[in-house]
Amino acid sequence: MPTSPRPVTRRSLLAFPLLAATACSGNPAPAPQSEPSPSASTAVSSAPPSRTPTPSPSARPVDPLTGGKVSTNAVFAVKIDNTAPARPQLGLDAADLVVVERVEGALTRLIAIFHTSFPTVVGPVRSARNTDVQLLPVFGRPGLVYSGANRLVQEQLPRASLVPIERSDRDHSRVAPHNVMVNLRTLAREHKVGAVRDIGLRFGPPGRLWSSAPAASKAAVTVGVDRFAFAHGSAGYTVTWNGQAYSGGGKPLTCDNVVVLHVHDHKDTHTTSDLSIVSDTVGEGDADIYRDGRRLRARWRRPNVSAPFSFTSGGTAVPLAPGRTWLVLQG
C-alpha cells in the first residue's frame, strides 16, 4: 500500500513594526551581508548586487514651546501687571509664550512663560488667581512667580502641579503696588521645578491647511475692558494694548503666532473675592489662530488639568510658526 506523502509545514513570519526614532538622526542602516565566492557549481548571475536602502532621516526635534532649538531649561511663569501704572513692563520680550487672562474689575493680567532665557529684570509682578491654578499644570510642574494672593487661592497653590514662588522685591522708583520686580535668572538657579514638556503646540511649515486660510493682516481681541491688537509685518505681529505698543529692548514687542481661545468665564467659588472669575482652560471650544498674516478657525481641546492642549482644523493638527506665541483667553 503506498504511503501518504508527508505534509508540508509552513512557517509564519512575524513582522515587527519599526518604531519612529525620537533622536535627531534615524536608526543606522543594517550592515550588508557578505556574499559567498562563486564556485564551479554556483551559477553567476548577471544582475547587479542588491543594495540596502538608505533609511529616511528622522524629523529634527524642536522645542515644545517655541518650535526652535531644543532647550533643556525648566519653565517659569511670571504674573505680570497689565494696567497703565505698570507700564513699561520689563522682560516680556524674552517670554516664549504670553497668556492674557481676565481678573476682577474686567481688568487683565499677563502670564509670561519663560523657558529659553531668563531675564535679570521681570515685572511688575502681581498676584495669583485660580485661572493660573487650572492652566499652569499643562506645563508639567512650572515655577509660578507671583506677589500675593487671597487666602483661599494661597491654600490651593501648593496643591496644584506647580511650584509657588512668592516675591516682594520692590523697585522704589516705581509706585506700589506696581513695583515688584524679580531677577528671574537668580530665581531659576534657586528653585527646582519640573522639566519642560509637550503642551500640545505643533510647529512646522504652513502647508495646505494655511495656504487656503483667508488673509488677515490684523487681529483685535477684547478681554474685559482691554483691547489687544496684533498687526502683521515683516517682524511678525506687533502687539498693542488699548492702542499702546508693548516694548522690549527699545523695540516694539512682536510675536509669531496669536492663538485666541474662546473659553467659559464663571464666578470663582474658591476665593474670598466676590469679583474674581475663572477662565476654564479644561474642556473644549472654538479658537482663532493667526500666523503669517492669515487666520484659521480651529477647535481647542484639553480633557483634564494634566493633559496637553490640541488645536485642530477639520481634524488636522494646526502647525504654528516657530517662535513666540500670545495665547488670549477670551470669555
Side-chain angles (χ1 to χ4, degrees):
M1 180 175 181
T3 59
S4 301
R6 180 178 297 177
V8 178
T9 61
R10 297 181 179 179
R11 296 180 180 178
S12 60
L13 301 178
L14 299 179
F16 293 90
L18 295 176
L19 297 178
T22 57
C24 294
S25 59
N27 291 330
Q33 298 292 328
S34 59
E35 298 182 357
S37 302
S39 63
S41 60
T42 304
V44 179
S45 173
S46 60
S50 61
R51 295 182 180 179
T52 302
T54 302
S56 301
S58 302
R60 179 177 61 87
V62 298
D63 192 89
L65 300 190
T66 68
K69 182 180 178 180
V70 175
S71 172
T72 58
N73 290 343
V75 177
F76 287 82
V78 184
K79 290 299 298 291
I80 303 290
D81 199 343
N82 197 44
T83 58
R87 297 178 65 86
Q89 293 95 335
L90 302 179
L92 281 179
D93 56 318
D96 299 300
L97 195 151
V98 177
V99 181
V100 176
E101 68 175 5
R102 181 178 171 179
V103 293
E104 63 277 0
L107 300 176
T108 58
R109 292 269 169 85
L110 306 177
I111 312 174
I113 306 297
F114 297 90
H115 165 54
T116 58
S117 64
F118 302 132
T120 56
V121 182
V122 180
V125 179
R126 291 303 299 269
S127 53
R129 294 290 185 274
N130 280 324
T131 295
D132 313 330
V133 174
Q134 185 182 132
L135 171 65
L136 292 178
V138 75
F139 295 96
R141 190 169 177 266
L144 170 60
V145 182
Y146 68 104
S147 177
N150 73 60
R151 176 177 55 82
L152 293 181
V153 175
Q154 286 276 34
E155 291 175 359
Q156 293 176 85
L157 292 176
R159 302 171 188 167
S161 181
L162 53 84
V163 178
I165 305 172
E166 187 173 7
R167 305 299 300 179
S168 59
D169 315 72
R170 298 193 181 272
D171 175 358
H172 295 290
S173 67
R174 291 176 174 243
V175 178
H178 316 281
N179 64 347
V180 176
M181 312 296 286
V182 299
N183 184 328
L184 192 57
R185 188 176 302 172
T186 298
L187 294 180
R189 289 196 300 262
E190 294 176 346
H191 295 271
K192 184 174 179 56
V193 305
V196 64
R197 76 171 190 178
D198 180 10
I199 69 167
L201 302 181
R202 297 294 175 260
F203 300 90
R208 185 177 301 176
L209 195 64
W210 279 104
S211 64
S212 59
S217 60
K218 294 182 180 180
V221 188
T222 299
V223 180
V225 297
D226 292 333
R227 183 177 186 272
F228 296 84
F230 305 87
H232 186 258
S234 59
Y237 291 91
T238 300
V239 188
T240 61
W241 167 84
N242 295 332
Q244 303 178 59
Y246 292 99
S247 63
K251 299 179 181 179
L253 188 66
T254 62
C255 64
D256 301 282
N257 306 286
V258 181
V259 179
V260 181
L261 294 193
H262 300 286
V263 299
H264 174 57
D265 285 350
H266 59 88
K267 181 179 173 60
D268 190 350
T269 58
H270 294 88
T271 180
T272 59
S273 170
D274 291 332
L275 302 176
S276 290
I277 61 103
V278 172
S279 296
D280 284 333
T281 54
V282 170
E284 59 183 301
D286 294 328
D288 291 298
I289 304 179
Y290 300 81
R291 71 167 282 183
D292 302 327
R294 293 181 178 271
R295 181 185 70 178
L296 197 62
R297 293 291 177 87
R299 292 285 294 176
W300 69 268
R301 185 173 184 271
R302 183 181 172 219
N304 56 67
V305 293
S306 61
F309 286 101
S310 67
F311 302 96
T312 58
S313 180
T316 301
V318 177
L320 301 181
R324 293 189 168 96
T325 300
W326 274 57
L327 178 65
V328 184
L329 307 181
Q330 186 183 45

